[in-house]
Amino acid sequence: MNPGIDIQGSFIQVLLDLGIPTGVAKILWMPFPMGLMLVGATVGVLGSVWLERKISAAAQQRIGPEYIGPMGSLAPLADGLKLLLKEDIVPFKADPLLFTLGPIIVSIPVFLSYLIVPFGQNLAIANLGTAIFLWIALSSIQPIGLLMSGYASNNKYSLLGGLRAAAQSISYEIPLALAVLAVVMMSNSLSTLDIVQQQSGYGILGWNVWRQPVGFAIFCIAALAECERLPFDLPEAEEELIAGYQTEYSGMKFALYYLASYVNLVLSALLVSVLYLGGWNFPIPVVAIAGLLGVSETTPWLQVLTASLGITMTILKAYLLVFTAILIRWTVPRVRIDQLLNLGWKFLLPVALVNLLLTAALKLAFPIAFGG
């Protein structure tokens, strides 16, 4: 049962008791989950940007943000406000409609993908039976916006960046989807809640990273490419394309690209946590924790404690992966575009296919160990 639905039902019931019609009550409920999703994703981005700057500064033996807020923690917020106040310029020869639609098409699917991320056993905005399918479908929309932005800018660097972004995204979406399908096959479900629940039996030993090490590596590499992080930031390589498809953008439109990039990074880290690292589950099973404390699993205070710590575990695992992505940015050189495409099509795709077939064979041979 998804308590998010119970909260919705309780809210609607209160409105019904006040004499408000059912249809109106449901419409009044809709802004709450959407607002929660937007606020949560934005706060996660602000934390990621601050981490990026402090870790980058440490890697270069600098201090980084220091004066705006405690340890410079409000610097990302100040940057966001600055971009909101900047003039929004549309190039004279650009296509104004496509130029405006580009960043919107890029950012909306990323935010919508947060609907399926469970932060705890009872904390998911939507418990969809086809959550993984929805995420794969949404992620395939983003390249359209990138290509649209590059074309509409009427700038050769932007066009090259848009073409690179579309080629890169298509190249890495397929191995990414195949890696996720292997996890779905083991879990017998497309629901993210079911996938995490299936990893809860044996603590850290039950996490999918041990049963899908190849899929985990493929997912992490492909996710870096999808987020256009170094060493795969070819679409906006500053030394080659100025800023790629973002070259002609300013003000709020540029802010949407910047925001979508980090929202996508945090989303990918959360999905790695959910699919491979047990989500909200502890390294030690809750049964063992209850036994050590000499209480029952159903003890109310223990349930509240494990729920609170479960949210912390999900976020901690995700930000550990964000930290790793930032370290990779400052330790690994950028690859060439031909190396990027060769890695996707000639290596990751066949390896992902073999991994999927091997998972199917092992599931038939050892159904208990592989979720049969």
Side-chain angles (χ1 to χ4, degrees):
M1 180 172 60
N2 180 16
I5 299 175
D6 294 337
I7 296 171
Q8 176 184 355
S10 302
F11 179 86
I12 292 175
Q13 187 59 48
V14 170
L15 295 180
L16 292 177
D17 293 339
L18 294 174
I20 297 175
T22 305
V24 177
K26 290 181 178 179
I27 291 173
L28 290 175
W29 162 257
M30 288 174 63
F32 287 97
M34 290 188 288
L36 179 64
M37 177 181 64
L38 289 172
V39 170
T42 305
V43 170
V45 166
L46 293 176
S48 299
V49 173
W50 178 79
L51 270 178
E52 175 105 56
R53 292 182 172 180
K54 296 300 281 189
I55 295 168
S56 301
Q60 300 172 359
Q61 296 183 337
R62 295 185 290 106
I63 296 174
E66 186 179 11
Y67 298 109
I68 307 177
M71 297 180 65
S73 56
L74 296 180
L77 184 60
D79 287 342
L81 292 174
K82 179 186 72 173
L83 287 171
L84 280 173
L85 298 174
K86 279 203 167 189
E87 183 181 1
D88 184 16
I89 299 172
V90 178
F92 177 70
K93 292 188 177 181
D95 186 312
L97 178 61
L98 296 183
F99 189 81
T100 304
L101 284 177
I104 297 173
I105 293 175
V106 168
S107 55
I108 287 179
V110 185
F111 279 102
L112 287 177
S113 298
Y114 274 80
L115 289 171
I116 66 164
V117 177
F119 289 89
Q121 187 169 3
N122 301 325
L123 290 170
I125 296 176
N127 182 12
L128 301 176
T130 57
I132 296 297
F133 179 78
L134 174 65
W135 169 64
I136 293 173
L138 287 172
S139 65
S140 65
I141 298 174
Q142 197 175 20
I144 301 172
L146 299 176
L147 186 59
M148 186 183 295
S149 302
Y151 171 77
S153 296
N154 194 30
N155 179 302
K156 59 184 178 183
Y157 296 113
S158 299
L159 180 58
L160 284 172
L163 292 172
R164 281 186 177 187
Q168 178 170 318
S169 183
I170 293 169
S171 300
Y172 284 84
E173 267 182 14
I174 302 173
L176 188 73
L178 292 175
V180 175
L181 286 177
V183 174
V184 168
M185 187 181 295
M186 290 195 310
S187 305
N188 298 314
S189 175
L190 286 163
S191 167
T192 48
L193 285 166
D194 292 343
I195 290 172
V196 177
Q197 196 65 44
Q198 183 258 348
Q199 303 174 66
S200 62
Y202 305 99
I204 192 172
L205 298 177
W207 295 355
N208 284 334
V209 67
W210 308 116
R211 292 182 291 178
Q212 281 290 316
V214 176
F216 173 74
I218 292 171
F219 190 98
C220 290
I221 295 171
L224 279 178
E226 287 287 303
C227 297
E228 296 173 9
R229 300 281 306 181
L230 269 164
F232 305 117
D233 67 332
L234 274 299
E236 51 182 283
E238 296 91 346
E239 295 86 349
E240 303 171 28
L241 304 179
I242 307 176
Y245 53 83
Q246 304 176 28
T247 300
E248 299 292 350
Y249 283 90
S250 62
M252 194 56 203
K253 292 189 181 75
F254 177 79
L256 281 176
Y257 277 123
Y258 194 76
L259 185 65
S261 172
Y262 278 95
V263 168
N264 205 7
L265 176 62
V266 177
L267 173 68
S268 300
L270 285 168
L271 287 172
V272 173
S273 171
V274 166
L275 296 172
Y276 295 98
L277 302 179
W280 64 79
N281 292 312
F282 303 96
I284 303 173
V286 177
V287 179
I289 296 174
L292 289 172
L293 297 175
V295 296
S296 171
E297 286 183 72
T298 57
T299 306
W301 66 265
L302 181 62
Q303 289 184 330
V304 173
L305 179 64
T306 53
S308 303
L309 292 177
I311 301 170
T312 306
M313 286 298 299
T314 304
I315 296 173
L316 185 64
K317 292 172 185 176
Y319 272 93
L320 180 63
L321 294 162
V322 171
F323 175 77
T324 305
I326 295 170
L327 280 186
I328 289 173
R329 173 179 180 177
W330 296 105
T331 52
V332 181
R334 180 186 296 126
V335 299
R336 298 195 312 264
I337 186 67
D338 61 312
Q339 294 171 332
L340 174 87
L341 297 177
N342 285 338
L343 177 65
W345 290 107
K346 296 182 180 179
F347 182 76
L348 289 184
L349 179 58
V351 171
L353 276 171
V354 171
N355 179 64
L356 183 63
L357 294 173
L358 187 61
T359 301
L362 291 173
K363 184 177 171 67
L364 291 174
F366 308 102
I368 296 177
F370 283 84

